[in-house]
Amino acid sequence: MEAYRNGIILFCVCTYMVACIAIGLWAMRRTKSTHDFFMAGRNLGVVITGVAMFSSIMSGFGFVGGPGFVYRMGLSSFWILAATPMGLSIAFMLLAKRLRLLGELRNCVSLPDVAEARYRSRTVRFLVALAILFGVVGYLAAQIKAMAVVLQDIFARNELPGGDSLEICVAISCAVLVFYCVTGGIIASVYTDLFQGLVMVIAAVLIFVTASQTVPGGFTEMSQTIAADDPEAASPWGSLGMIACLSWYFVFCLGAVGQPHVVTKLMMSRRVEDARFTLPVTLLGYTLSALLWISIGYLMRTLVLQGVHTPLEKADEAAAQFLQAYANPVLAGLVFAGLFAAIMSTADGFLNIGAAALVHDIPKALSGRTPKNELMLARVATLLLAVGASVFALLSPIGLVGQLGAFGWGVFASTLVPAVAFGLNWKRATPFAAGVSISVSILINVAVVAFQLTGHRIPYGVAGGAVALIVSLTCFVGISLASKPPVIDRDVEAVMDL
Amino acid sequence: MKHWPVLFVILLGMCAVLAIVLFGNEPPNGHGVEHPDLPAIQQGGTPDRHADLMWLGGLYGVLQIAFFTLSLMPGLRPGGRGRNAFLFVGFLCIVAFLSVLISYQHYADAEPLQFILGFPPSTALMLFVLWPIPVLCVVLYTTKFNEWVLNADDRRRFEKLLTQRTEDAQE
C-alpha cells in the first residue's frame, strides 16, 4: 500500500513537471521580444492575471510553512491570511490604474522603469533595482531549497537513485524551472501560474473537506481539544501573542502591495479596466488555496494532542505527515504537485524580475541605456540567477535560508510600498525621500537578520519586516512633507491626475 | 491633500507603540513557550499574559486599520468620490477589531467554553467578521470602478496623452 501511494505521488509530480515543460515550449513560440519576455506583450486577460497574481503570492511558505505555523502556534498565523483582502484592495487601488497607464505611456517593463519615470532619478531606479535583486536572491534560494527538500523526500520514498543527494534534487527541480522561464519568459511563467493556480485550488479545497471530516466533531472538537491543552492556542492570538500577530497583520497587509513579482503583473493586463475583475479573481483564488493552510495544521495539532498521531519532530512536517497518513493517495499526489506549483509559481516570477533588474534596470541606471541584445541577455541572466540561487541554497545552512526568505519579503515590502505604491499616488513625494526610505529599509532588514542569526529574539515576537516597514514609511512621508514639492514630468503628472 | 499629514501622525503613533513594546519587559510566555511534553508545539498559557498589553495592542490595531483605510484613498479619482464608503468599511473593521478584543477579555472567564461555528467567540469574530469585512472594499472596487477609480473621460484623456507622446517621439 505504501509503495503504491508513493508511486502515485511520484507519477503526479512527474506529470506536473512535464506539463510545465510543455507550457514552456508552447510559450517560446510566442516570445519574440524583450517586451514579450518581461511584459507578456501587455496582453493578459482577467482570469490569467488574477490566477497568476494569487499563485505568485501563495508560495511554498503557504503550503508547507502555513500548516507548520498552525501546528506550532495555533491560530496566530491566521492573521497573515486575514490581512489579504485589505492588502489586495490597497494594492489594486494604489497600483492597478497608475502602474498600467504609466507602463503603457512610458513603455516600462519593470518597477525600476516606473520609479525612474516617476522621480526623474536614475539613483532611485538603481536603488529599487538593487532592493529587488537583494530580495530576489534571498527568496529564490529559499524556494529552490524547499523544492529540492520535497523532491528528495519523494525520491527517497520511491528508492530512486538520487534520493540521498540534495544536489541532484536541486539540479532537477531547478532545470525544469529554468527551462520554462528561459524559453518562454513571463508568458511561460503566467501560463504555468494559471495551471499551477488551478492545481493549488483543487488540492486545497479537497484537503479542507478531508481534514474537516477526519475528526468526528469537526472544527468544534478540534477547538475543544486544542483549548483544553492551551486556551491561548485556540484564541485569536494563538500562542504567539497579540503584538506579534498584529505586526504580521501589518507587514503582510502592506507586504502584498510591495511584492514586485505580484504587482508587476498589473502592468501586463490587456486593458486597465480589467483590474476591477482581476481583484476578485485574485482574492478568491488566494482564499480557497489558504484552506489548506488553515485545516491541516489545526487537525494535526488536534490529533497529536489526542494521542491519535505520533508527535511531529518538526512543525513543517505537518502537511507531509497528514498526506501520508490521512489523505487518499491520488489526493496526496495532487497536493504534492500543488506544493511544487506553489513554489515554482513564486520562483518563476522572481527569476523574471531578477533578470529584468540585471540586464535592464541596473545597466540603464548606470549608463542610461540598455544592452543591444537584451532578449538574449535576459535569458542568460535568468539562467545565471537560478544557478547562483541554487548554489547559495546548497551552501547555506537551513536556518539562514529561512531567514533570507523572510528578509526577501521584508525588503520588498519596506522598499517598494513607500517609494513605488505611495510615490505613484502622491505628487509631493520626493526622490530624496524615496532614496532614504529604500536605504533605511535595507539596512534595518540586514540588521534584523544579523540580530536573529546571532541567537537574539525580538521582544514579543515582533516581525522584523514590520519594524523596517513602519520606519521606512515614516521616513518617506516625513521627509516628503518637510521638502519642497518635486518637479514631475508633465505626462507623468497627467497620469497621476487621473 | 490633508490625509498625508494624518497618515504621518498615525505612523508616528505606530512607531511610539513599537518603541514601548520593544523596550518594555516581556513576560516569559510573551510570545509562547515550548510545550512541556510535545516537541514542535508552543503554548501561550492564559490570557493574563496580555493584561498589561491590552490597551497598547488595541491602539496598535486601531492605528493599523486607520492607516490601511486612509491608504486606499489616493487610489480614488481626484475629488474623492467614494471616500465615505471606504471610510465606513474602515470604521466597521475597527468596530470588529474592538469586538475581538472585548470578547477575548472574557475568554478565560467563560465556563464552560462556548463555541461559535467551531471556534471560541473571540476567534469566531476574528475569522468570520473581521477577516471578511474588507471584502466590501473589493466589492466597491469592482462595482464602482467606472465612477470612482477611472471613468470614460479619464480614458479619453489618457488616449490623448498617449497620442501626444507618440507624436512627440516621432518628431
Side-chain angles (χ1 to χ4, degrees):
Chain A
M1 181 62 187
E2 193 62 20
Y4 169 68
R5 172 185 286 273
N6 291 329
I8 289 180
I9 291 172
L10 181 67
F11 174 76
C12 288
V13 170
C14 290
T15 307
Y16 162 78
M17 291 203 173
V18 169
C20 287
I21 290 171
I23 292 172
L25 286 170
W26 168 80
M28 185 166 68
R29 286 186 290 170
R30 294 184 57 176
T31 304
K32 298 184 174 86
S33 66
T34 315
H35 211 254
D36 293 334
F37 194 87
F38 290 129
M39 281 288 112
R42 251 186 267 285
N43 194 30
L44 299 182
V46 170
V47 174
I48 193 156
T49 312
V51 176
M53 285 184 75
F54 100 74
S55 59
S56 298
I57 303 173
M58 183 59 83
S59 62
F61 169 72
F63 262 42
V64 178
F69 271 146
V70 182
Y71 178 81
R72 181 166 172 75
M73 303 166 181
L75 289 162
S76 307
S77 67
F78 283 24
W79 287 90
I80 294 175
L81 303 171
T84 316
M86 183 60 95
L88 285 175
S89 299
I90 298 173
F92 274 75
M93 284 289 279
L94 293 185
L95 292 171
K97 174 175 70 176
R98 301 218 156 89
L99 261 187
R100 176 65 182 78
L101 295 181
L102 201 55
E104 185 175 353
L105 186 68
R106 289 293 188 99
N107 206 17
C108 301
V109 300
S110 64
L111 288 184
D113 268 350
V114 172
E116 183 175 341
R118 160 63 184 86
Y119 293 106
R120 295 162 37 120
S121 163
R122 277 207 253 159
T123 310
V124 174
R125 170 196 280 275
F126 179 76
L127 286 172
V128 172
L130 196 66
I132 287 176
L133 213 50
F134 259 113
V136 161
V137 172
Y139 219 126
L140 196 56
Q143 300 295 323
I144 288 173
K145 189 140 192 172
M147 199 155 51
V149 168
V150 177
L151 196 63
Q152 189 183 25
D153 184 53
I154 293 172
F155 276 20
R157 284 177 191 279
N158 284 278
E159 295 173 0
L160 288 178
D164 54 347
S165 165
L166 191 62
E167 289 80 1
I168 290 178
C169 295
V170 164
I172 293 172
S173 43
C174 209
V176 176
L177 181 67
V178 166
F179 180 81
Y180 75 77
C181 287
V182 167
T183 52
I186 196 70
I187 296 180
S189 171
V190 291
Y191 279 94
T192 47
D193 284 357
L194 177 67
F195 168 63
Q196 290 155 350
L198 294 176
V199 172
M200 284 157 65
V201 166
I202 293 167
V205 171
L206 290 175
I207 282 294
F208 182 76
V209 173
T210 307
S212 58
Q213 291 172 350
T214 303
V215 172
F219 277 94
T220 305
E221 188 181 324
M222 294 187 218
S223 295
Q224 280 171 335
T225 304
I226 290 171
D229 173 69
D230 174 32
E232 281 290 87
S235 82
W237 315 115
S239 66
L240 196 59
M242 180 194 291
I243 298 293
C245 288
L246 289 175
S247 75
W248 275 0
Y249 189 57
F250 185 72
V251 82
F252 281 89
C253 184
L254 286 184
V257 188
Q259 299 308 299
H261 59 302
V262 179
V263 297
T264 303
K265 294 190 170 78
L266 290 169
M267 294 162 71
M268 301 173 195
S269 61
R270 194 173 297 144
R271 301 177 313 156
V272 61
E273 53 269 37
D274 286 350
R276 64 188 293 205
F277 298 116
T278 307
L279 173 55
V281 171
T282 307
L283 181 61
L284 182 67
Y286 185 85
T287 308
L288 289 176
S289 60
L291 291 174
L292 183 140
W293 177 322
I294 292 170
S295 52
I296 290 183
Y298 212 57
L299 173 70
M300 288 305 289
R301 184 165 175 136
T302 304
L303 294 175
V304 167
L305 290 173
Q306 288 177 340
V308 176
H309 195 93
T310 41
L312 310 183
E313 287 301 315
K314 293 176 195 161
D316 284 349
E317 292 171 0
Q321 295 239 355
F322 168 82
L323 293 172
Q324 290 292 336
Y326 304 102
N328 175 290
V330 177
L331 177 57
L334 187 66
V335 175
F336 270 107
L339 170 60
F340 276 94
I343 296 172
M344 289 169 111
S345 58
T346 305
D348 60 25
F350 284 130
L351 279 177
N352 194 267
I353 56 165
L358 276 177
V359 302
H360 180 82
D361 297 312
I362 291 178
K364 212 166 176 181
L366 296 176
S367 67
R369 57 177 184 272
T370 52
K372 278 180 185 164
N373 44 355
E374 203 178 6
L375 179 58
M376 180 63 198
L377 287 176
R379 288 186 159 130
V380 173
T382 305
L383 179 65
L384 289 179
L385 259 180
V387 172
S390 302
V391 172
F392 190 46
L394 281 171
L395 296 179
S396 309
I398 282 197
L400 179 62
V401 173
Q403 291 285 355
L404 288 173
F407 167 79
W409 180 276
V411 166
F412 288 145
S414 52
T415 54
L416 300 181
V417 173
V420 177
F422 282 7
L424 280 180
N425 289 276
W426 188 27
K427 289 187 202 168
R428 178 127 192 202
T430 65
F432 178 67
V436 169
S437 72
I438 292 170
S439 310
V440 163
S441 70
I442 291 176
L443 283 177
I444 294 178
N445 279 297
V446 170
V448 167
V449 170
F451 184 71
Q452 290 177 331
L453 283 176
T454 48
H456 296 89
R457 281 158 49 119
I458 301 179
Y460 290 101
V462 171
V467 178
L469 183 54
I470 290 178
V471 173
S472 72
L473 279 167
T474 310
C475 290
F476 179 78
V477 179
I479 292 171
S480 297
L481 281 174
S483 313
K484 277 200 295 190
V487 178
I488 303 173
D489 287 343
R490 202 176 291 170
D491 57 338
V492 175
E493 193 171 9
V495 168
M496 292 176 78
D497 280 334
L498 294 175
Chain B
M1 294 289 267
K2 283 181 185 165
H3 76 262
W4 290 102
V6 178
L7 276 177
F8 184 58
V9 171
I10 293 173
L11 282 167
L12 289 178
M14 283 197 277
C15 286
V17 170
L18 267 189
I20 294 169
V21 165
L22 292 176
F23 296 106
N25 288 324
E26 184 186 9
N29 61 344
H31 60 286
V33 290
E34 294 303 318
H35 196 286
D37 305 318
L38 300 167
I41 287 187
Q42 272 193 343
Q43 288 186 319
T46 60
D48 298 347
R49 66 179 174 148
H50 286 128
D52 297 335
L53 278 179
M54 204 54 84
W55 282 105
L56 210 55
L59 179 63
Y60 188 34
V62 169
L63 286 172
Q64 281 188 23
I65 296 170
F67 185 84
F68 298 152
T69 310
L70 287 179
S71 295
L72 292 162
M73 303 304 161
L76 293 168
R77 294 188 65 247
R81 269 190 75 197
R83 190 171 49 191
N84 290 345
F86 285 103
L87 286 175
F88 182 66
V89 176
F91 171 74
L92 289 180
C93 283
I94 288 175
V95 171
F97 174 72
L98 293 176
S99 307
V100 171
L101 280 190
I102 292 166
S103 173
Y104 172 72
Q105 282 188 304
H106 300 291
Y107 174 54
D109 311 328
E111 195 63 49
L113 206 54
Q114 304 289 314
F115 291 93
I116 300 170
L117 297 169
F119 295 93
S122 53
T123 309
L125 273 170
M126 181 260 178
L127 291 177
F128 304 117
V129 182
L130 178 61
W131 183 345
I133 284 176
V135 175
L136 288 172
C137 293
V138 178
V139 174
L140 288 172
Y141 184 81
T142 304
T143 55
K144 295 291 183 182
F145 184 90
N146 287 332
E147 295 164 55
W148 296 352
V149 182
L150 190 79
N151 65 17
D153 186 44
D154 294 333
R155 281 193 279 266
R156 271 194 295 276
R157 281 163 58 196
F158 179 71
E159 287 303 323
K160 206 182 278 181
L161 209 58
L162 207 57
T163 313
Q164 180 70 46
R165 177 135 186 111
T166 313
E167 284 170 6
D168 289 350
Q170 282 167 352
E171 282 169 20

